[in-house]
Amino acid sequence: MAASRISQRSSDRPRFSDRLTSRGGAWVALGAALLIMTVLFGVFGGAQAAARTSQAPVDAESTRVSELLAQFPNADRQSVLVVASREDGGTLTEANLTALHELLPELNPEATADAAPPAVSEDKKAAVLITPITVGADNTETAGLIKDLRAQISHSVPDGLVLQVTGGPAFGADVAASFEGADFTLLLVTILIVAILLIITYRSPLLWLVPLVVVALADGLAGRVTAAAGSFWNFEFDAGIVSVLVFGAGTNYALLLISRYREELQRTDNDRAALSIAWRKTVPAILASNFTVVLALLTLLFATIPMTRGLGVPAAIGLLIALVAVLFMLPPLLAICGRKVFWPFVPRPGQTRSQGRAWRAIASRVSKRPVVSLTAGLVLLAVMATGLFGTSVGLDQLEKFRVKSESATGLETLSAHFPPGEAQPIWIVADSAAAGDVVAAVNNVTGVVRAHPTDSTDDGSLTKIMVTSDYSPGTEESLAQITELRDAVHPSRTQTLSWVAPSRPSSMPAPGTPKICSSSHRWCLR
C-alpha cells in the first residue's frame, strides 16, 4: 500500500521536459540559456585561433628540411618573376628590351636586392625579370608585397608589352587572395541553403526562423570557443568547416525535434505537453547521432597532417554546442511561440497527416522487398562508381584556381618560352664536400635543364643547389622527376635514409617540389 502511494507520487512528479516547456519554466530556461551564452561570448570574445602555417606533419621531412634551410643566409628571400611578352605574340625588339631595362628601378622599391636585368628566351619572344623579395610569415603577409609590386609596375608597362608577375611568392599571394572573405561566403551560402530547406520542409513563413536563430547563436558561440581551444592546444583548423558542421548538425537535430512535435500536436490539445513528449522521445536519437559524429571527429587526432588533426577537437566542440543549444534553448522557444508557429498549416488533434505520404509509400515497399531494394541500391552505386575510373587526384599549379590568376597565366607564358621549372626551381641541400658529386648526378637526370650551387651556410658545411626542371611544378612529370632525383642522389650517401613529402609556395616551397633529407641531415633534396 505504501509502495503504491510512493509510486503514485513519483509518477505525478514533473519531469525535466515538463519543466523545460511549462509556462514559467520556458521563460526561465530561455533566459538562463541567453545569459549563459552572453557570458561565454564575453569570456571567449577575444579568442583568436592559431594561424594556419603548414600542411606537412611535424615530423615530416618537409618540416625538418625547412628548419635546415633556415640556417642559410637570406633564408626568407624568394624570387618573384616578371614575365614580359609582346601583345601581338611577336619577337621582342631592341626597343622593348630597352624599355624593360628602364623598368628595373620601378621594381627595386619592393625588392630586397636589385632586380636582375631581363633574361631573354631562346625564341626571343619573352623575357623575365627576377626580383628578390623577403617573404612574410604567411601567404597573407606576402600578398601585400605582391600587390604593391603589381601596382608599382602597372603604371609603367611599356607600350606593346604585357607584364605578368608570377613565381612561388606570387602563387602564394594569389592563393591567399582567393580565400579572402571565403569563410563569410561559405557561412552565408550555408545559411541560405538551410533556410530554403527549412521553408520547404515546414511550409511556414515563421517556423524556419526559430531553429535558424538558435543554430546561428550556437554557431557564433562555437566559433569563439573553438578559436580559444585551437589557440590553447595550438590546433590549426578551418573555421568555415566548423560552421558548416554546426549548421548542418544543428538543423538536423531541430528537424527531428520539430517533426515529432508536429506529430504530437495532432494527438493532443496541450501544445506544451506535446512538446515535452517530443523532447523525451527524440533525445535518444539526437544524442546517438551527435555522439557518433563527435567520436568519429575525435579520431582525427590520430591524423599526421596538422590541418586534419587540428580539425577534430574544434569540430567536436562545435557539435556539442549545437547539441546543447537545440536541446535546451529550442524547446522553451517553441513552447513560448506555441502551436501558432506552424501557421498557416497549424496541426490539430484528429487531423490526418498530409505530409510524408510519398516517403511512407517508399518505405513500405522497401520493407516488403528488402533484398530487391538492396540489390537495386548496390547496382546503382556500382554504376555511379564507374566515374572514378581515370579520375586524377590533386591539382597542379595551373588548376588550383577556378578563374585564372595572374600568377597562373604568367606561368603559362613562362612555360611557353622558358623551361617551366624556372618559376619554382627544385632545391638540393648537400654536404659541401659532396656538392660536386650531387650536381653531376643531378645533371644526368632526365628533364633537368641545369643544376648549380647557389649558397652555403655561414660555417660552410652545407651547400644549396638550384635545379631547374623542364616540367611544370605540381605535374605528374614533376613528381616522377623528384623520385628520379632521389634515386640519383642516394648513391652519394649510401649509408643514409631519406624522406619525401610535398610542399607549398610562398612561406613554404612550391607544390610538387618534394624534399629528401638524410637522417643525419648532411644532405637534403627539396
Side-chain angles (χ1 to χ4, degrees):
M1 194 69 180
S4 64
R5 285 197 295 267
I6 293 175
S7 177
Q8 180 65 31
R9 286 197 298 268
S10 62
S11 63
D12 293 340
R13 187 177 301 162
R15 295 188 174 115
F16 174 79
S17 59
D18 296 331
R19 295 173 180 175
L20 185 66
T21 58
S22 65
R23 189 175 303 277
W27 286 104
V28 172
L30 183 59
L34 292 175
L35 178 61
I36 293 172
M37 276 196 166
T38 302
V39 171
L40 293 177
F41 268 106
V43 171
F44 298 105
Q48 296 290 334
R52 288 175 277 176
T53 57
S54 65
Q55 293 181 345
V58 176
D59 59 347
E61 79 290 348
S62 57
T63 305
R64 281 177 269 187
V65 173
S66 295
E67 295 172 356
L68 185 63
L69 290 174
Q71 300 177 18
F72 285 82
N74 301 317
D76 58 350
R77 181 181 295 180
Q78 293 190 25
S79 295
V80 175
L81 308 181
V82 181
V83 183
S85 59
R86 288 184 58 88
E87 292 179 347
D88 58 8
T91 303
L92 295 174
T93 64
E94 289 298 327
N96 294 146
L97 296 178
T98 300
L100 292 177
H101 276 279
E102 295 174 351
L103 183 64
L104 294 178
E106 300 292 334
L107 303 178
N108 290 332
E110 306 299 333
T112 304
D114 291 342
V120 183
S121 62
E122 291 185 2
D123 60 7
K124 309 295 183 184
K125 292 185 177 182
V128 61
L129 292 78
I130 302 177
T131 305
I133 67 168
T134 301
V135 297
D138 53 33
N139 287 341
T140 302
E141 186 176 341
T142 305
L145 297 174
I146 300 299
K147 183 179 180 180
D148 293 340
L149 180 62
R150 285 170 172 165
Q152 189 74 22
I153 66 176
S154 64
H155 304 295
S156 307
V157 179
D159 293 337
L161 294 181
V162 177
L163 301 182
Q164 297 167 319
V165 178
T166 187
F171 268 102
D174 289 341
V175 169
S178 67
F179 281 96
E180 288 182 358
D183 285 348
F184 175 77
T185 303
L186 181 62
L187 179 60
L188 180 61
V189 171
T190 301
I191 292 175
L192 289 176
I193 292 175
V194 169
I196 292 173
L197 291 176
L198 290 176
I199 292 173
I200 294 174
T201 302
Y202 296 138
R203 299 185 299 169
S204 170
L206 302 175
L207 180 57
W208 67 276
L209 286 170
V210 178
L212 193 61
V213 168
V214 172
V215 176
L217 289 173
D219 176 65
L221 179 60
R224 286 158 176 79
V225 174
T226 54
S231 178
F232 181 77
W233 285 305
N234 197 30
F235 285 142
E236 301 177 21
F237 65 95
D238 190 334
I241 295 178
V242 176
S243 288
V244 171
L245 289 173
V246 170
F247 266 93
T251 51
N252 181 45
Y253 305 153
L255 279 169
L256 289 173
L257 176 62
I258 296 176
S259 296
R260 186 56 185 262
Y261 178 35
R262 182 196 293 271
E263 292 179 3
E264 295 299 330
L265 286 175
Q266 294 176 339
R267 298 189 179 102
T268 177
D269 287 321
N270 190 333
D271 54 312
R272 295 182 186 275
L275 184 56
S276 175
I277 296 172
W279 190 90
R280 292 197 304 273
K281 297 298 184 181
T282 55
V283 161
I286 293 174
L287 290 177
S289 174
N290 180 267
F291 291 163
T292 300
V293 179
V294 166
L295 289 175
L297 288 170
L298 291 179
T299 61
L300 295 179
L301 289 171
F302 297 101
T304 57
I305 305 298
M307 281 287 291
T308 304
R309 183 175 64 252
L311 180 62
V313 171
I317 292 174
L319 289 186
L320 290 174
I321 291 174
L323 171 72
V324 173
V326 170
L327 289 184
F328 301 105
M329 189 175 180
L330 180 59
L333 191 56
L334 289 172
I336 292 171
C337 294
R339 189 190 300 263
K340 294 180 181 179
V341 74
F342 288 93
W343 184 87
F345 302 100
V346 180
R348 303 286 183 187
Q351 286 182 341
T352 56
R353 294 189 57 184
S354 59
Q355 288 184 303
R357 291 178 178 175
W359 293 114
R360 282 200 301 274
I362 294 174
S364 298
R365 293 180 181 178
V366 169
S367 60
K368 288 179 180 179
R369 307 183 68 182
V371 176
V372 174
S373 301
L374 178 61
T375 304
L378 292 176
V379 170
L380 178 61
L381 288 175
V383 172
M384 297 175 67
T386 57
L388 296 175
F389 291 106
T391 301
S392 60
V393 179
L395 302 173
D396 62 30
Q397 291 284 53
L398 299 181
E399 297 170 336
K400 289 182 180 293
F401 302 94
R402 182 178 58 84
V403 178
K404 285 291 180 66
S405 64
E406 183 175 338
S407 57
T409 54
L411 180 58
E412 287 182 327
T413 303
L414 185 73
S415 301
H417 306 286
F418 291 91
E422 293 281 8
Q424 294 175 12
I426 300 168
W427 295 96
I428 299 176
V429 179
D431 187 334
S432 295
D437 295 338
V438 172
V439 170
V442 168
N443 276 320
N444 290 327
V445 174
T446 303
V448 172
V449 178
R450 74 182 76 89
H452 59 278
T454 61
D455 204 355
S456 298
T457 54
D458 291 336
D459 60 5
S461 61
L462 297 176
T463 297
K464 184 165 58 175
I465 301 167
M466 185 175 75
V467 180
T468 302
S469 173
D470 199 32
Y471 307 125
S472 296
T475 59
E476 293 183 5
E477 294 84 358
S478 175
L479 295 177
Q481 186 184 53
I482 295 299
T483 302
E484 294 179 18
L485 286 171
R486 178 182 59 186
D487 294 339
V489 173
H490 277 183
S492 66
R493 288 293 182 208
T494 57
Q495 300 300 317
T496 63
L497 301 175
S498 61
W499 307 291
V500 182
S503 54
R504 57 190 175 94
S506 191
S507 58
M508 296 284 290
T513 55
K515 308 182 185 74
I516 306 169
C517 181
S518 72
S519 58
S520 59
H521 279 174
R522 301 307 295 163
W523 63 267
C524 303
L525 168 63
R526 183 175 94 172

PDB file of all heavy atoms in Angstrom, residues 354-365:
ATOM      1  N   SER A 354      -0.922  15.049 -43.755  1.00  0.00           N
ATOM      2  CA  SER A 354      -0.847  15.376 -45.183  1.00  0.00           C
ATOM      3  C   SER A 354       0.577  15.322 -45.698  1.00  0.00           C
ATOM      4  O   SER A 354       0.814  15.425 -46.896  1.00  0.00           O
ATOM      5  CB  SER A 354      -1.417  16.787 -45.422  1.00  0.00           C
ATOM      6  OG  SER A 354      -0.691  17.752 -44.668  1.00  0.00           O
ATOM      7  N   GLN A 355       1.542  15.195 -44.779  1.00  0.00           N
ATOM      8  CA  GLN A 355       2.941  15.168 -45.189  1.00  0.00           C
ATOM      9  C   GLN A 355       3.493  13.760 -45.086  1.00  0.00           C
ATOM     10  O   GLN A 355       3.033  12.943 -44.282  1.00  0.00           O
ATOM     11  CB  GLN A 355       3.775  16.105 -44.301  1.00  0.00           C
ATOM     12  CG  GLN A 355       3.518  17.589 -44.560  1.00  0.00           C
ATOM     13  CD  GLN A 355       4.440  18.445 -43.715  1.00  0.00           C
ATOM     14  OE1 GLN A 355       4.464  18.340 -42.509  1.00  0.00           O
ATOM     15  NE2 GLN A 355       5.197  19.304 -44.366  1.00  0.00           N
ATOM     16  N   GLY A 356       4.475  13.490 -45.895  1.00  0.00           N
ATOM     17  CA  GLY A 356       5.201  12.234 -45.788  1.00  0.00           C
ATOM     18  C   GLY A 356       4.545  11.047 -46.447  1.00  0.00           C
ATOM     19  O   GLY A 356       5.006   9.918 -46.265  1.00  0.00           O
ATOM     20  N   ARG A 357       3.443  11.247 -47.191  1.00  0.00           N
ATOM     21  CA  ARG A 357       2.769  10.100 -47.801  1.00  0.00           C
ATOM     22  C   ARG A 357       3.672   9.397 -48.813  1.00  0.00           C
ATOM     23  O   ARG A 357       3.725   8.165 -48.857  1.00  0.00           O
ATOM     24  CB  ARG A 357       1.485  10.570 -48.481  1.00  0.00           C
ATOM     25  CG  ARG A 357       0.405  11.022 -47.496  1.00  0.00           C
ATOM     26  CD  ARG A 357      -0.831  11.517 -48.237  1.00  0.00           C
ATOM     27  NE  ARG A 357      -1.877  11.914 -47.300  1.00  0.00           N
ATOM     28  CZ  ARG A 357      -3.026  12.473 -47.667  1.00  0.00           C
ATOM     29  NH1 ARG A 357      -3.289  12.693 -48.957  1.00  0.00           N
ATOM     30  NH2 ARG A 357      -3.931  12.811 -46.759  1.00  0.00           N
ATOM     31  N   ALA A 358       4.369  10.185 -49.600  1.00  0.00           N
ATOM     32  CA  ALA A 358       5.239   9.591 -50.622  1.00  0.00           C
ATOM     33  C   ALA A 358       6.366   8.798 -49.980  1.00  0.00           C
ATOM     34  O   ALA A 358       6.667   7.669 -50.388  1.00  0.00           O
ATOM     35  CB  ALA A 358       5.808  10.686 -51.530  1.00  0.00           C
ATOM     36  N   TRP A 359       6.967   9.361 -48.937  1.00  0.00           N
ATOM     37  CA  TRP A 359       8.070   8.667 -48.277  1.00  0.00           C
ATOM     38  C   TRP A 359       7.580   7.433 -47.539  1.00  0.00           C
ATOM     39  O   TRP A 359       8.296   6.419 -47.480  1.00  0.00           O
ATOM     40  CB  TRP A 359       8.792   9.620 -47.326  1.00  0.00           C
ATOM     41  CG  TRP A 359       9.518  10.730 -48.016  1.00  0.00           C
ATOM     42  CD1 TRP A 359       9.251  12.053 -47.964  1.00  0.00           C
ATOM     43  CD2 TRP A 359      10.651  10.590 -48.895  1.00  0.00           C
ATOM     44  NE1 TRP A 359      10.133  12.758 -48.751  1.00  0.00           N
ATOM     45  CE2 TRP A 359      11.002  11.888 -49.328  1.00  0.00           C
ATOM     46  CE3 TRP A 359      11.386   9.498 -49.346  1.00  0.00           C
ATOM     47  CZ2 TRP A 359      12.053  12.115 -50.195  1.00  0.00           C
ATOM     48  CZ3 TRP A 359      12.451   9.729 -50.218  1.00  0.00           C
ATOM     49  CH2 TRP A 359      12.780  11.020 -50.629  1.00  0.00           C
ATOM     50  N   ARG A 360       6.387   7.502 -46.967  1.00  0.00           N
ATOM     51  CA  ARG A 360       5.842   6.321 -46.294  1.00  0.00           C
ATOM     52  C   ARG A 360       5.584   5.195 -47.293  1.00  0.00           C
ATOM     53  O   ARG A 360       5.810   4.016 -47.007  1.00  0.00           O
ATOM     54  CB  ARG A 360       4.544   6.683 -45.564  1.00  0.00           C
ATOM     55  CG  ARG A 360       4.761   7.401 -44.249  1.00  0.00           C
ATOM     56  CD  ARG A 360       3.539   7.295 -43.357  1.00  0.00           C
ATOM     57  NE  ARG A 360       2.343   7.847 -43.988  1.00  0.00           N
ATOM     58  CZ  ARG A 360       2.003   9.132 -43.950  1.00  0.00           C
ATOM     59  NH1 ARG A 360       2.767   9.997 -43.302  1.00  0.00           N
ATOM     60  NH2 ARG A 360       0.894   9.561 -44.528  1.00  0.00           N
ATOM     61  N   ALA A 361       5.118   5.573 -48.476  1.00  0.00           N
ATOM     62  CA  ALA A 361       4.870   4.562 -49.513  1.00  0.00           C
ATOM     63  C   ALA A 361       6.175   3.913 -49.954  1.00  0.00           C
ATOM     64  O   ALA A 361       6.258   2.691 -50.129  1.00  0.00           O
ATOM     65  CB  ALA A 361       4.169   5.212 -50.708  1.00  0.00           C
ATOM     66  N   ILE A 362       7.228   4.740 -50.108  1.00  0.00           N
ATOM     67  CA  ILE A 362       8.537   4.194 -50.489  1.00  0.00           C
ATOM     68  C   ILE A 362       9.068   3.279 -49.393  1.00  0.00           C
ATOM     69  O   ILE A 362       9.577   2.186 -49.657  1.00  0.00           O
ATOM     70  CB  ILE A 362       9.525   5.345 -50.775  1.00  0.00           C
ATOM     71  CG1 ILE A 362       9.075   6.124 -52.030  1.00  0.00           C
ATOM     72  CG2 ILE A 362      10.937   4.802 -50.960  1.00  0.00           C
ATOM     73  CD1 ILE A 362       9.903   7.361 -52.307  1.00  0.00           C
ATOM     74  N   ALA A 363       8.961   3.737 -48.137  1.00  0.00           N
ATOM     75  CA  ALA A 363       9.453   2.936 -47.017  1.00  0.00           C
ATOM     76  C   ALA A 363       8.721   1.604 -46.922  1.00  0.00           C
ATOM     77  O   ALA A 363       9.325   0.560 -46.629  1.00  0.00           O
ATOM     78  CB  ALA A 363       9.307   3.727 -45.720  1.00  0.00           C
ATOM     79  N   SER A 364       7.421   1.612 -47.189  1.00  0.00           N
ATOM     80  CA  SER A 364       6.644   0.376 -47.120  1.00  0.00           C
ATOM     81  C   SER A 364       7.097  -0.615 -48.186  1.00  0.00           C
ATOM     82  O   SER A 364       7.238  -1.825 -47.913  1.00  0.00           O
ATOM     83  CB  SER A 364       5.148   0.686 -47.293  1.00  0.00           C
ATOM     84  OG  SER A 364       4.697   1.533 -46.246  1.00  0.00           O
ATOM     85  N   ARG A 365       7.338  -0.116 -49.385  1.00  0.00           N
ATOM     86  CA  ARG A 365       7.768  -1.011 -50.461  1.00  0.00           C
ATOM     87  C   ARG A 365       9.164  -1.563 -50.188  1.00  0.00           C
ATOM     88  O   ARG A 365       9.442  -2.740 -50.468  1.00  0.00           O
ATOM     89  CB  ARG A 365       7.754  -0.263 -51.789  1.00  0.00           C
ATOM     90  CG  ARG A 365       6.350   0.115 -52.247  1.00  0.00           C
ATOM     91  CD  ARG A 365       6.378   0.857 -53.573  1.00  0.00           C
ATOM     92  NE  ARG A 365       5.032   1.227 -53.995  1.00  0.00           N
ATOM     93  CZ  ARG A 365       4.755   1.921 -55.101  1.00  0.00           C
ATOM     94  NH1 ARG A 365       5.751   2.298 -55.897  1.00  0.00           N
ATOM     95  NH2 ARG A 365       3.507   2.213 -55.402  1.00  0.00           N
TER      96      ARG A 365
END
